[in-house]
Amino acid sequence: MTLIPFSRGKSSAGSLCRGLALKRRRGGRRAKLFFSFSNMGNTKSSALSKELLEELKSNTKYSEAELCTWYQSFLKECPSGKITKEQFEGIYASFFPGADPSAYARHVFRSFDTNADGTLDFKEYIVALHLTSGGKTLQKLEWAFALYDVDGNGTISKNEIQEIVRSIFNMIPADDQKNLPDDENTPEKRAEKIWAFFGKKENDKISEGEFIQGVMDNKDILRLIQYDEPQKIKDKLKEKKH
């Protein structure tokens, strides 16, 4: 599920740190990242706590050696142990130089800022990396629901679908949008198509269970709710016809 750029190509926590270093060299603003390290008692520690290390090993696919190496890189680029929303948006901008990913980046940031402190720390980052690059399908869909549930009330409205889809379109250059199928080449058309797949009326809501089951039952919904390059979309549709 290609929902955030860290899941594109070879994924590693180092990709984030390289992005941060690039932004710092370019004069980008500093910021914070996943879970508050102050809550872990680890803010200035150069080593992961045993408890956090065991938790991440148990709940992700990463080894102790990988986690420790990535943590050192993370602290080197983020001495505070945190990344802010602005810095996170800057990372996205480096992945989409010809478009505007800021709105989508804010939504992704919100969905992983689980304690709503306005920052993301190492734990939140690793969880994000795991979910988007190697997590189980159910875990990914639970996160996708959280992404689309903009107001966090436990349901998704048509307006929220439109808001996320619009932010996805902002990441697609105008010339590339012309390569999209006619019935989904605008944010409004794609949102309408998603809503129709769920069989909902204008003011209905989609629960988490309905969202997950709908996406699992219909690959078209899965394709529509995520970012993908227009040419890849055309190729997938061609494969479906044959």
Side-chain angles (χ1 to χ4, degrees), residues 19-101:
L20 294 176
L22 178 63
K23 288 303 296 179
R24 186 168 62 180
R25 287 196 297 270
R26 291 178 177 174
R29 288 181 292 175
R30 297 290 296 177
K32 306 176 184 178
L33 179 64
F34 308 5
F35 275 32
S36 172
F37 269 105
S38 60
N39 292 339
M40 300 179 201
N42 243 18
T43 305
K44 296 182 179 180
S45 175
S46 61
L48 281 167
S49 69
K50 182 177 180 180
E51 294 77 11
L52 178 56
L53 183 58
E54 290 302 318
E55 181 181 351
L56 292 176
K57 284 169 56 181
S58 298
N59 294 299
T60 72
K61 63 180 181 179
Y62 305 121
S63 68
E64 180 172 335
E66 288 175 317
L67 291 167
C68 289
T69 298
W70 291 343
Y71 184 60
Q72 293 300 320
S73 297
F74 184 84
L75 285 185
K76 183 177 180 180
E77 298 300 337
C78 314
S80 68
K82 302 175 182 180
I83 298 178
T84 63
K85 186 185 300 182
E86 291 80 8
Q87 193 173 20
F88 190 76
E89 289 177 23
I91 296 168
Y92 260 78
S94 68
F95 281 95
F96 300 91
D100 178 14

Side-chain angles (χ1 to χ4, degrees), residues 14-212:
S15 66
L16 172 62
C17 293
R18 286 192 295 273
L20 294 176
L22 178 63
K23 288 303 296 179
R24 186 168 62 180
R25 287 196 297 270
R26 291 178 177 174
R29 288 181 292 175
R30 297 290 296 177
K32 306 176 184 178
L33 179 64
F34 308 5
F35 275 32
S36 172
F37 269 105
S38 60
N39 292 339
M40 300 179 201
N42 243 18
T43 305
K44 296 182 179 180
S45 175
S46 61
L48 281 167
S49 69
K50 182 177 180 180
E51 294 77 11
L52 178 56
L53 183 58
E54 290 302 318
E55 181 181 351
L56 292 176
K57 284 169 56 181
S58 298
N59 294 299
T60 72
K61 63 180 181 179
Y62 305 121
S63 68
E64 180 172 335
E66 288 175 317
L67 291 167
C68 289
T69 298
W70 291 343
Y71 184 60
Q72 293 300 320
S73 297
F74 184 84
L75 285 185
K76 183 177 180 180
E77 298 300 337
C78 314
S80 68
K82 302 175 182 180
I83 298 178
T84 63
K85 186 185 300 182
E86 291 80 8
Q87 193 173 20
F88 190 76
E89 289 177 23
I91 296 168
Y92 260 78
S94 68
F95 281 95
F96 300 91
D100 178 14
S102 56
Y104 189 70
R106 286 194 293 272
H107 287 300
V108 173
F109 185 93
R110 164 186 53 78
S111 69
F112 283 122
D113 181 17
T114 54
N115 60 355
D117 70 346
T119 70
L120 297 177
D121 64 22
F122 184 71
K123 177 179 177 179
E124 288 171 311
Y125 169 67
I126 290 297
V127 170
L129 182 67
H130 170 70
L131 285 180
T132 56
S133 65
K136 296 179 180 178
T137 299
L138 180 58
Q139 292 176 317
K140 291 182 179 181
L141 292 179
E142 288 173 342
W143 172 70
F145 178 83
L147 178 70
Y148 275 83
D149 181 15
V150 177
D151 63 8
N153 71 348
T155 63
I156 296 173
S157 67
K158 188 175 182 180
N159 286 338
E160 288 174 316
I161 293 283
Q162 292 172 335
E163 182 171 345
I164 300 300
V165 169
R166 194 174 297 114
S167 71
I168 290 174
F169 264 71
N170 288 342
M171 297 191 292
I172 306 174
D175 287 343
D176 289 342
Q177 291 183 27
K178 297 175 183 177
N179 293 322
L180 293 169
D182 290 340
D183 63 343
E184 55 186 75
N185 60 4
T186 69
E188 294 74 21
K189 288 180 181 179
R190 179 177 283 199
E192 192 66 44
K193 195 171 182 178
I194 294 171
W195 202 246
F197 273 129
F198 282 104
K200 293 293 186 178
K201 296 180 180 179
E202 189 73 17
N203 295 317
D204 285 346
K205 301 292 178 68
I206 300 173
S207 67
E208 183 177 31
E210 288 177 313
F211 179 85
I212 291 173

